Amino acid sequence: MRLGQTGDRDAYESLLRELLQSLRRVVGRQWHRAEDVEDIVQEILISLHGVRHTYDPERPFIPWFMAIVRRRIADAARRSASRRMHEMNVEILPETSADEDAKKKTEGNTAGEAADQVRHALSSLPPAQREAVELLKVQGLSLKEASKKTGRSVPALKVMVHRAMKSMRRTLE
Amino acid sequence: MTDPTERTAQLPKALAGDADAVRPLPGPHARMMAWFLLSLSFAVAAAWIIGPRPDLSARLTDTFFIIETAAAVLTSMMAAAAAFCSGCPGRPRWEQFVALPFVVLWIGSLGFGCLGSLAGWVENGGQWAMDLVCFPYIAAISSLPLLLILTMIRRLAPLAPATTTGMATLAASALGAAALRFVHVRDASLMVLVWQVGSVALLTGIAAALGKTVIRWPHEARQHRLIWSNRQTDATQQQ
């Protein structure tokens, strides 16, 4: 880290690579989904990078590093708890369509094909509309949360999603 | 879309590419002394401009006055040290509470003075004097020290943001309260306890509540700035 603070990029990169394995182990003790572990590990590395000037070269490195790790793991746990409070379990999935033919046609597709079509329709959207759909329809954020995350106003997001759904429907037809 | 494990593996290279040389922050004690000396100069100048109290030379020979003022100044110094330590990862946790004994000494010395003045206060009918002048004076004398310490703590890691901003504000307002004793004639300890310590506690509480807004992780602060600029763009487009 001392070399990293002086601008030695190679030394800094090898330090971060070395930390990666122990980070995955530490985070993996508390989080079991691989995606969550990777997200938190990335968050910790970015946080550490942002405050590397707070490391005092006269003091040991591990306590400095572990203090950041513990803080970021606690932040992730808090975020996850607040997200869980807004989620709802659905036991019976809604009907895909009231029309029997359309239903057969839709359900006849394999899940993979349907997913590919939706992905294609999503990728053909302009970036701002795609971001709005991903946040509101894929990640299931509320309008307020999505507005906070993107900085766009709630009415602007509503308009974007409306337009996006319209053009996705056209693409899927 | 890239696999998350793959993305993590690419991160060290990406971060190293952005790793310009950085100057390590000076130690918390050096920063505390720098802040204290600058702030003390300002507080002395502010007290001089407002005008020293007429009985100052007599008060300077009063042991209680000296103890109460010294306790407020020590509270200010230790709270500043606690604020700087709380944002340096890896430092012992007890450092965050180093100001507490001095806060107890300060409030205790005022409380002890209260016992003496309590009898007189009851004899006078137990009237509360509204001493609202304390709050604006403390706020004015503390303004520059507070601005200075808030600027200094923004570069710290937000490990305990409420403690960091709370202690920083306690440092500035306790210094303001100490300086106020040299200009403000009210010396009944009960009034000082309620109005001066009350003002300090109010400012400290507000700052602690705003901790997470004041100090953020640098990448989250950048995200926040981006959100604001997006909001501005949306507002302009809607107009």
Side-chain angles (χ1 to χ4, degrees), chain A residues 117-138 155-173:
Chain A
Q117 284 171 3
V118 173
R119 214 171 287 134
H120 170 68
L122 193 63
S123 65
S124 60
L125 293 173
Q129 286 184 17
R130 189 167 60 232
E131 189 190 22
V133 173
E134 277 173 355
L135 292 175
L136 292 163
K137 304 290 177 189
V138 181
L157 281 172
K158 278 184 183 170
V159 172
M160 274 178 195
V161 171
H162 176 73
R163 285 181 186 158
M165 297 314 273
K166 221 168 155 183
S167 60
M168 277 179 80
R169 206 171 292 132
R170 266 201 307 272
T171 314
L172 288 170
E173 279 165 11

Side-chain angles (χ1 to χ4, degrees), chain B residues 118-194:
Chain B
L118 200 61
W121 180 68
V122 173
E123 274 171 24
N124 290 334
Q127 290 291 310
W128 281 103
M130 285 294 281
D131 199 2
L132 295 176
V133 78
C134 281
F135 188 82
Y137 268 145
I138 290 179
I141 299 175
S142 312
S143 60
L144 203 73
L146 183 61
L147 205 66
L148 182 63
I149 201 165
L150 287 180
T151 311
M152 290 170 87
I153 61 171
R154 277 175 75 92
R155 293 202 66 211
L156 297 175
L159 297 175
T163 307
T164 309
T165 51
M167 285 294 141
T169 309
L170 175 62
S173 50
L175 187 64
L180 189 64
R181 309 221 57 204
F182 290 87
V183 292
H184 195 27
V185 281
R186 187 169 294 284
D187 255 342
S189 289
L190 193 60
M191 296 302 149
V192 176
L193 186 66
V194 172

